[in-house]
Amino acid sequence: MFSNMTFRKALLMLMSFLAVAWMIFIISQNPTKFWSDLKVPISLHHWHTSMKSSHPKIPLSPLKPPTETELRIKGIMEKLDQLIPPRPFIHLNTTTSATQSRVIILNPQDTYCIGDQLDILVEMRDHLGHRKEYGGDFLRARISSSGLKAGASGKVTDFHNGTYLVSFTLFWEGQVSLSLLLIHPSEGVSALWRARKQAYDQVIFIGHFASGTSHLITDCALVLNSTAELCEYLDTQDQEVFYCIKPEHISCAALTHMHSKNKDVSYLRNQEMILFKRSNVGVEIVKNFNTINVSKCNKKTAPMKKKCKFGMVSTIPSGHVWKDTWNPVSCSLAPIEMKECLKGKFIYLLGDSTIRQWMEYFKDSIKTLKSVDLHESGKIQHQLAVDLDRNIIIQWQKHGYPVIGSLTYSVKEIEYIARVIDRTGGEKNTIVVISLGQHFRPFPIEVFIRRALSVHKAIQRLLLRSPDTMVIIKTENIREMHSDVERFGDFHGYMQYLAIKDIFQDLNVGIIDAWDITIAYGTNNVHPPQSVVRNQINILLNYIC
């Protein structure tokens, strides 16, 4: 027989067991409510900088429905995918050949008139002379007169059956040369598009951490495949993230500088590499044509065009160069006195080094514009210039990660363009100019689309609170044709160009079509010459003055 003491102990254990079982039942019914009632925080991920294991966690709750941004990215990707159906590479002989393809001028004439349209029918053939039965080749059409410093792009229509219509508008009088380049055959385009979707690690970033006397470097990237503990640099509003491997005994917040280097990795198949040899990129199709004679033909004087302003319909081509000056199709550009136009203006130049060229041009052109030392170092440091007499303030700031550069640059104050726009008050004398693209080419295009959408939303917010603010988007330009095609080739830039035009078409912003302008100029350089920069800035001045 148990004693009274033994009985009490057994009764107490039974009651404790029942209490624990009840708590487990309550928590399983509604865990969030239980912990919130106890005022116990269930998440510590509210910091911009945090440590994070790279091991994936199994979700404890059903997957969330896709966000508006994710649905928008998916929609844009579907549009782009439709332009590039898979074209398996079998052998070089079965791919499009520039030399075997045939070109026919439709309705040829001895002399053409200014304003006429010249149409060329292109019949693509492979290296064996067989007709191609599908399209998708990446072509670049251009007319030019070198003596007149004149040029314009052509419009390419793909009939998706191996034939193309190339249309040129004859803008000026004189001898005009025709050019049609096969940048990549459709099989090469398909290979580049497939490879890009995997390419998170073709560029690796090296993060520099400093804490007291300790200085360490670690690998950083948009995506890191590592079992090590990671530093996560998260933009909480737009959910854009960048990672570094956490250095031992140093805080994630001690990241101060960065540089990048190309990684020896390719997502092209071995047999596809031949498509991107220098001799197979940018091959001329139109070889045997004489120049075209263009005359005035006593046509009536063209009606005066309205001054360029926001909201005008974009055309292909969007304009032409003549005597080294850009002339838009749909509007007119007047010569603007820069100093007077910029008087009282605050100009934000946000983006890559092609918009930094504008900053350098402004400083060279306005001698009273003085640089302010912001105590940063390196080529891509934040720049500020002021003219106190005319109350002109111009600043350039690089965009957020990824920023590709072999030279070390500071990331102490790096921020995404959307956040810069969010802290901009804006008003009628505030001008924001944005240029994105070149640094995103080596990564899956979803990264670029997400960034462009973040900027789009920030501009929407800016124009709601300050509708008089002027915002201009400068598209990216063409660059060197034969350098590192898989990472930086113009095919990637062209897809981003299409995405930008799609994303910003609903906003009341100005567009400077640097893609079309640099094709017209024929400048295959990531940093176009001063004449191109001058004409881009003249478009800006016409927009704002």
Side-chain angles (χ1 to χ4, degrees), residues 275-294:
L275 295 172
F276 306 105
K277 287 178 60 177
R278 188 181 187 91
S279 59
N280 292 327
V281 175
V283 184
E284 184 62 69
I285 297 175
V286 180
K287 285 186 176 178
N288 301 318
F289 285 179
N290 295 321
T291 55
I292 303 297
N293 273 319
V294 182

Side-chain angles (χ1 to χ4, degrees), residues 209-216 248-250:
F209 291 80
S211 179
T213 58
S214 298
H215 296 270
L216 291 174
E248 289 187 8
H249 312 303
I250 294 183

